[in-house]
Amino acid sequence: MSERPLRRLAQLLAGLALYGFSLAAMVRAALGVNSWSVLNEGLQERTALSFGTVTAVVGVLVLLAWIPLRQRPALGTVANIAVLAVTSDVGLALLPGHPGLPARCALLVGGVLLNGFAVAVYVGARFGPGPRDGLMTGLSALTGHSLRRVRTLLEVGVLGVGWLLGGTVGVGTVLYAFTVGPVAQFFMPRFAFPGASARTD
């Protein structure tokens, strides 16, 4: 841990909290969510667990998959699981359910933009990869396939399973796929500490 660790830690936690809240906003919009949230929604439909709890369980299971891949978790990895679980449930409790279409559209657009901003904030803190990125880099090293190919296969596979389980796939899923990267890239230079990686979740 190098320069300004307390500031970096505060930035990490703030970014993850905003990320969790953005997930809740997209869920409340009910117009489609990102691939992993589709899986989490589908699992929530099949269990008595809250969305945040399912998010944490999936994060832990993904983290366990790191073991044979020889990946090592960092502070940001563990914080990613814990903070997202809590803040996504808090967001769902605070945001009204079943709003009208205009409010749902606003929640979707706001959630996607906030998500991209949050990615830049917590990734810029440079505290290590999130569970899904560690899985991606580990599988890439094991198989010899490119990061892009591995990530695409993971996202498509997770999306398909989540959809079959009852997760929400819609215009928001497409909007997220094409928007979150550019938004995160726009804000990254404003929050990245020296040596920060481009993406950790």
Side-chain angles (χ1 to χ4, degrees), residues 19-192:
Y19 191 97
F21 192 85
S22 73
L23 295 181
M26 288 186 282
V27 169
R28 282 288 182 250
L31 293 170
V33 291
N34 65 52
S35 299
W36 288 90
S37 289
V38 172
L39 175 63
N40 295 337
E41 273 194 325
L43 290 171
Q44 182 188 11
E45 289 290 323
R46 304 296 177 126
T47 67
L49 302 176
S50 70
F51 180 84
T53 302
V54 171
T55 300
V57 170
V58 171
V60 170
L61 292 176
V62 171
L63 194 57
L64 290 175
W66 284 28
I67 297 174
L69 299 175
R70 301 180 183 275
Q71 297 291 96
R72 294 183 178 180
L75 175 61
T77 313
V78 178
N80 184 292
I81 296 172
V83 177
L84 293 192
V86 173
T87 55
S88 58
D89 271 352
V90 169
L92 288 171
L94 294 176
L95 293 171
H98 308 292
L101 184 58
R104 290 167 61 198
C105 291
L107 282 171
L108 173 62
V109 174
V112 170
L113 293 176
L114 180 61
N115 191 278
F117 173 78
V119 167
V121 173
Y122 83 77
V123 169
R126 194 166 56 88
F127 271 104
R132 286 156 288 279
D133 267 352
L135 179 63
M136 173 188 67
T137 55
L139 286 173
S140 177
L142 179 67
T143 63
H145 293 302
S146 68
L147 292 175
R148 180 174 62 182
R149 184 173 187 178
V150 171
R151 187 62 180 241
T152 300
L153 290 173
L154 281 173
E155 294 289 331
V156 171
V158 165
L159 180 64
V161 173
W163 177 71
L164 290 173
L165 291 173
T168 306
V169 178
V171 64
T173 310
V174 178
L175 179 65
Y176 183 91
F178 285 97
T179 305
V180 68
V183 173
Q185 187 67 37
F186 175 79
F187 286 109
M188 187 68 71
R190 295 158 175 78
F191 293 97

